[in-house]
Amino acid sequence: MSELETYQIDLKGLQSEETNLEYDLNDGFFAALDDAQLEHGALHVSVSIRKAVGLFELLFHTEGSVTVTCDLCLDDMQQTIDTDNRLLVRLGAETNMDDDELITVSEDQGVLDLSWFIYEFIMLAIPIKHVHAPGKCNRVMTQKLEELSAARSSDEAKEIDPRWSALEKLNIKD
């Protein structure tokens, strides 16, 4: 059995009006996904599926943490995830996942794979900037960064391109 088979939901086979599912994600989940940028994490996902006439509403609650690289010191850091997401699904003639609001699953198949949706919800919950809390970055790397940025800024102040000097004269008004 594949790691991701547990995330495939037979929508036509759901008997009750509401179905609740629980998933515990670990490194194996991320390894099983193709093209996953995340490799490490420990998360708990609760999925509530509400069945209506011709439509399924899926509510996701995800909490836990993933490992990302700090943008400043390049060390691994834990990023907390706590997110709620909603997905609407209907059965139709053919599968169509182009619409962000409503996913259509082929009625012949009737199976929805939740794994990539869960992964995307996790990725959307990660802030764009990944930085350790103040004082938690790798000291050696931050010192080196400060040295190099100070050296670069002092070099820029000393060396001014003569073309800019000529343009600067045009900017000065008498």
Side-chain angles (χ1 to χ4, degrees):
M1 183 167 132
S2 168
E3 174 79 26
L4 300 178
E5 284 184 29
T6 57
Y7 303 99
Q8 294 187 7
I9 308 302
D10 182 8
L11 296 173
K12 294 189 325 184
L14 294 177
Q15 299 298 321
S16 62
E17 294 287 322
E18 187 168 338
T19 304
N20 294 310
L21 305 170
E22 304 284 327
Y23 299 108
D24 288 313
L25 309 182
N26 56 26
D27 296 350
F29 171 78
F30 298 111
L33 289 172
D34 291 333
D35 298 327
Q37 294 175 353
L38 291 176
E39 296 178 3
H40 306 290
L43 299 126
H44 180 77
V45 180
S46 302
V47 182
S48 174
I49 305 172
R50 294 187 184 137
K51 187 177 172 182
V53 177
L55 192 67
F56 299 89
E57 179 184 36
L58 286 77
L59 302 173
F60 297 81
H61 177 72
T62 307
E63 59 184 30
S65 66
V66 294
T67 304
V68 295
T69 303
C70 176
D71 292 336
L72 291 179
C73 69
L74 302 179
D75 279 355
D76 286 344
M77 62 175 272
Q78 294 298 309
Q79 178 64 54
T80 303
I81 302 293
D82 189 0
T83 184
D84 293 305
N85 302 93
R86 179 176 179 247
L87 184 66
L88 294 175
V89 180
R90 71 175 177 188
L91 297 174
E94 61 183 42
T95 300
N96 182 0
M97 298 197 184
D98 294 337
D99 188 356
D100 292 339
E101 300 291 322
L102 182 65
I103 303 299
T104 304
V105 174
S106 169
E107 196 159 358
D108 296 337
Q109 192 179 35
V111 176
L112 177 66
D113 186 358
L114 297 180
S115 60
W116 196 254
F117 292 108
I118 292 171
Y119 175 75
E120 286 182 343
F121 293 148
I122 293 166
M123 290 299 291
L124 288 171
I126 298 173
I128 292 174
K129 189 173 182 180
H130 317 129
V131 181
H132 281 105
K136 300 290 183 183
C137 276
N138 181 330
R139 287 187 184 145
V140 174
M141 184 62 97
T142 53
Q143 286 174 349
K144 191 66 171 173
L145 182 62
E146 287 174 13
E147 289 172 15
L148 292 173
S149 64
R152 190 180 78 209
S153 64
S154 65
D155 289 345
E156 289 174 0
K158 291 178 186 175
E159 298 176 23
I160 297 177
D161 189 334
R163 294 174 291 183
W164 289 113
S165 298
L167 287 173
E168 193 65 37
K169 291 177 188 174
L170 294 174
N171 195 21
I172 299 173
K173 297 181 180 179
D174 295 319

